[in-house]
Amino acid sequence: LWTVDTRDWAGCTADEITAAAGQAQPGGVVLMHEGRPATLDAVPRILAALTARGLRPGPVPVRRRWS
């Protein structure tokens, strides 16, 4: 499912969320939840830090359930 849980759901600060997301490795999935103020504050910082490491966001493939 995901490789890094930012624990934004637990009320972490933007600094804590950014630090957690910084543990992402190539091909990893960072779990964050929409609409939380600290998460929204952290997103630009996370993207800048990952970009500086040569990483970039990408889509997560959707698995289809076959009957």
Side-chain angles (χ1 to χ4, degrees):
L1 297 172
W2 58 83
T3 57
V4 176
D5 183 356
T6 63
R7 296 185 45 84
D8 61 342
W9 53 268
C12 292
T13 66
D15 287 340
E16 292 168 325
I17 294 166
T18 301
Q23 301 303 310
Q25 297 298 315
V29 176
V30 178
L31 176 65
M32 294 187 293
H33 299 82
E34 63 185 66
R36 298 179 182 274
T39 303
L40 296 174
D41 290 343
V43 169
R45 295 164 44 188
I46 292 167
L47 293 174
L50 295 178
T51 299
R53 292 178 43 210
L55 302 175
R56 60 184 171 85
V60 175
V62 176
R63 293 181 61 180
R64 296 181 188 261
R65 183 178 287 176
W66 300 98
S67 305

